Amino acid sequence: MSVTMDKVVSLAKRRGFVFPGSDIYGGLANTWDYGPYGVELKNNLKKIWWKTFVQDRDDMVGLDASILMNPKVWEASGHVASFTDPLMDCKKCKERIRGDKLIEQHIGIEAAVGKTLKQISEIIKEKKLPCPKCGSSDFSEARSFNLMFKTHQGVVEESSALVYMRPETAQGIFVNFKNVVTTTRMKLPFGIGQIGKAFRNEITPGNFTFRTREFEQMEIEYFFDPEASKWEEIFAEWKKLSWEFVCKTLGIKEENLRLRDHDKDELSHYSKGTTDIEYKFPFGWGELCAAAAYRTNYDLTQHSNFSGEELSYTDPQNPQRKIIPHVMEPSFGADRIALAIMLDAYDEEEVDGDVRTVMRFTPALAPIKVAILPLVKNKEVITQKAEEVYHLLKKEFTCEYDESGTVGKRYRRQDEIGTPFCVTIDFETVEKDNCVTIRDRDAMTQERIKIEELSAVLHKKLGI
Ligand code: ATP
């Protein structure tokens, strides 16, 4: 079955995963709000990421830096000068496009990377690439467009200071490097992880939550001494860890994933190697996350020069030796990964002549783990028992209690939001054996379990 973006967007809206932003005002283009199930899904993703990469490792600590930072941060990092995309206008319909993306779509990524503005304009002219909106191929010359959102800090706009909304969370980590080293006494190699919002004034946002102007990142800066560790080994290790996280921990199908090494042309001048993990989206392969990017010691050196603060690390074996650590950066987009999780989990199958839509989330990601369903609604003894079971399980799992409609309809509703297990309570539960029926979302098998054993059985089945 091929999954289309339309099917997932429609389910996401219908079942409360993702709503169009500012919906009652007619929306605001390319903004999305996470509904009750969507926020659970995304929070589960962030929790699992944090546990895997920060809490479970002795060589990692966390951070939560501000979105607004001193504007000098962005001069030092190079964002003010070069965090730009090549913007072009269609002279006929006035559509604004990204020149590199137009080349990428029609010719391929190799033809687009590392090209100057002049080269981009020339390729588009020579190949007569069409405007995605009106099909004409008459564009203005490509010019640099800085993607950072600007705002003002202070009371009176004219006299207040210009500040930027951070376009990545990473710089907050570099700026706090010294604070972390002095307060935690972490020894190299060690990393700092952070989850938070980032903002980019993208020229061509779209494809649902794939590319938006406000999004959330989960980033790691892993610092090391290049004389004590080989960067190639640390690079390979993070590539492996990122890959395992995406396909094993999150359960995204391996056949829909691939690693892509950046070409030399594509690398930033300070980077020696970057590998992305790409996902096969309905519109084609697209970057899911950066599995690892080797940024040398460029960022810390820049911040040291611009701030005047010494951002070095003293070798504990040799206190005379001070170094500016090098860094490996795995960078994950929470919204883009949540989208891939939804696309990957979406399935339709025929059951008794009907189409069953089911979101096959891995249990740890599922917004609701267990649904409790009394078989008949109006029998007080049954609803009472069902509520009892609900309150028992609610202490341990995210649960939902549902008594409306036929049990078949209720199963389908839970399938659509990806609930791994439903527990039904019937007459026999109350009158005979104090057992309930557990129904498995994927196999649709049913099994009777004693209420006393329910919690332990569910923990085992869910693997949590
Ligand atoms: P792209 O080439 O798609 O613009 P990028 O290479 O600029 O992405 P990075 O700067 O490496 O992206 O950011 C790390 C991660 O943050 C990406 O892999 C992606 O998951 C996420 N991300 C980046 N830009 C956006 C966006 N506009 N909307 C949603 N997620 C984003």
Side-chain angles (χ1 to χ4, degrees):
M1 192 222 41
S2 69
V3 184
T4 63
M5 194 65 104
D6 284 350
K7 282 188 176 175
V8 171
V9 174
S10 147
L11 180 135
K13 178 160 191 203
R14 183 161 39 85
R15 297 314 321 267
F17 281 90
V18 182
F19 304 125
S22 316
D23 209 7
I24 61 165
Y25 286 96
L28 173 69
N30 298 297
T31 61
W32 302 96
D33 296 342
Y34 287 82
Y37 298 122
V39 67
E40 292 293 339
L41 176 71
K42 198 167 129 186
N43 279 346
N44 288 341
L45 165 63
K46 289 189 283 179
K47 257 188 273 169
I48 296 170
W49 185 91
W50 191 258
K51 180 160 172 18
T52 307
F53 291 120
V54 181
Q55 292 174 328
D56 285 356
R57 294 179 61 117
D58 296 331
D59 59 350
M60 287 284 304
V61 288
L63 182 78
D64 184 8
S66 302
I67 288 171
L68 301 178
M69 302 177 80
N70 188 311
K72 279 199 189 135
V73 168
W74 307 109
E75 280 171 40
S77 67
H79 282 80
V80 170
S82 54
F83 192 58
T84 56
D85 277 337
L87 172 68
M88 298 174 84
D89 296 303
C90 170
K91 288 189 184 159
K92 194 166 169 216
C93 74
K94 310 287 176 235
E95 177 78 350
R96 301 199 125 175
I97 60 140
R98 249 178 87 173
D100 58 333
K101 288 284 161 195
L102 193 70
I103 297 173
E104 201 179 302
Q105 265 163 18
H106 290 274
I107 311 176
I109 192 161
E110 297 75 20
V113 295
K115 299 289 184 292
T116 61
L117 291 171
K118 196 159 168 261
Q119 286 167 324
I120 287 173
S121 297
E122 278 166 6
I123 296 170
I124 290 179
K125 217 177 266 170
E126 194 189 304
K127 304 276 180 200
K128 293 198 169 46
L129 299 184
C131 164
K133 195 169 167 202
C134 72
S136 128
S137 60
D138 188 10
F139 293 100
S140 65
E141 295 296 310
R143 59 196 188 281
S144 264
F145 175 74
N146 194 298
L147 300 184
M148 281 198 294
F149 271 103
K150 297 183 187 83
T151 187
H152 293 89
Q153 172 158 290
V155 191
V156 186
E157 198 170 297
E158 302 84 73
S159 61
S160 56
L162 173 77
V163 286
Y164 300 100
M165 314 273 277
R166 67 178 175 197
E168 60 173 35
T169 63
Q171 298 305 323
I173 298 180
F174 295 119
V175 167
N176 279 287
F177 171 77
K178 192 175 175 184
N179 286 335
V180 172
V181 172
T182 50
T183 52
T184 62
R185 298 197 302 278
M186 295 295 283
K187 302 273 177 292
L188 291 180
F190 78 90
I192 304 177
Q194 171 165 231
I195 300 179
K197 289 265 187 179
F199 302 81
R200 294 181 189 177
N201 201 1
E202 299 275 4
I203 299 170
T204 51
N207 285 320
F208 196 26
T209 51
F210 177 81
R211 189 180 302 285
T212 48
R213 293 189 170 113
E214 171 183 348
F215 55 96
E216 219 164 351
Q217 290 188 312
M218 308 184 286
E219 295 198 296
I220 294 165
E221 298 304 332
Y222 193 78
F223 300 96
F224 62 95
D225 176 350
E227 282 183 29
S229 323
K230 279 200 175 133
W231 77 264
E232 291 88 345
E233 282 170 17
I234 295 189
F235 188 63
E237 174 66 7
W238 276 104
K239 253 162 77 167
K240 183 168 145 272
L241 291 172
S242 299
W243 179 262
E244 282 173 356
F245 177 74
V246 171
C247 57
K248 295 215 176 96
T249 314
L250 302 180
I252 297 182
K253 294 181 205 90
E254 232 174 296
E255 74 238 36
N256 292 334
L257 293 166
R258 69 178 186 195
L259 287 165
R260 191 181 70 79
D261 297 327
H262 283 211
D263 288 345
K264 278 217 172 70
D265 283 356
E266 209 179 335
L267 294 172
S268 328
H269 63 278
Y270 50 80
S271 176
K272 292 220 173 115
T274 296
T275 301
D276 290 341
I277 298 177
E278 296 191 333
Y279 181 75
K280 205 200 273 175
F281 288 94
F283 53 84
W285 289 96
E287 176 179 331
L288 185 64
C289 57
Y294 175 32
R295 300 173 68 107
T296 62
N297 62 358
Y298 173 79
D299 303 87
L300 284 182
T301 307
Q302 286 290 99
H303 287 304
S304 189
N305 292 340
F306 274 70
S307 67
E309 283 277 343
E310 196 183 318
L311 300 180
S312 61
Y313 171 88
T314 308
D315 183 348
Q317 313 299 332
N318 174 8
Q320 308 306 321
R321 184 172 170 256
K322 285 183 190 287
I323 60 151
I324 297 192
H326 283 221
V327 76
M328 198 61 68
E329 180 189 83
S331 171
F332 301 78
D335 307 87
R336 209 176 267 188
I337 295 179
L339 172 61
I341 290 168
M342 285 195 278
L343 287 161
D344 214 66
Y346 188 96
D347 196 13
E348 285 174 359
E349 62 180 9
E350 217 187 287
V351 178
D352 305 330
D354 258 352
V355 177
R356 175 174 95 114
T357 304
V358 49
M359 295 295 269
R360 299 191 192 277
F361 294 128
T362 210
L365 285 168
I368 303 293
K369 311 288 187 232
V370 192
I372 292 94
L373 319 173
L375 209 58
V376 262
K377 183 177 160 187
N378 301 325
K379 294 282 175 274
E380 207 175 306
V381 277
I382 295 186
T383 48
Q384 233 173 30
K385 193 72 181 176
E387 275 172 23
E388 221 174 87
V389 172
Y390 171 62
H391 288 295
L392 181 84
L393 296 180
K394 209 175 166 213
K395 286 188 215 133
E396 292 171 71
F397 311 101
T398 43
C399 292
E400 202 168 87
Y401 181 87
D402 187 5
E403 56 176 28
S404 60
T406 65
V407 75
K409 278 210 179 111
R410 283 182 271 164
Y411 280 153
R412 292 290 182 276
R413 269 207 294 270
Q414 295 301 328
D415 290 342
E416 279 200 325
I417 59 165
T419 307
F421 296 102
C422 290
V423 169
T424 51
I425 290 92
D426 54 28
F427 277 114
E428 282 191 16
T429 314
V430 187
E431 287 172 0
K432 218 166 128 199
D433 55 7
N434 209 34
C435 285
V436 292
T437 305
I438 299 187
R439 184 254 195 190
D440 179 304
R441 175 195 71 199
D442 295 331
M444 290 196 288
T445 47
Q446 304 198 355
E447 193 184 340
R448 276 191 83 77
I449 304 279
K450 285 212 169 314
I451 290 179
E452 309 90 84
E453 291 164 14
L454 193 52
S455 157
V457 169
L458 284 168
H459 272 295
K460 192 152 173 246
K461 282 181 182 289
L462 288 162
I464 53 175

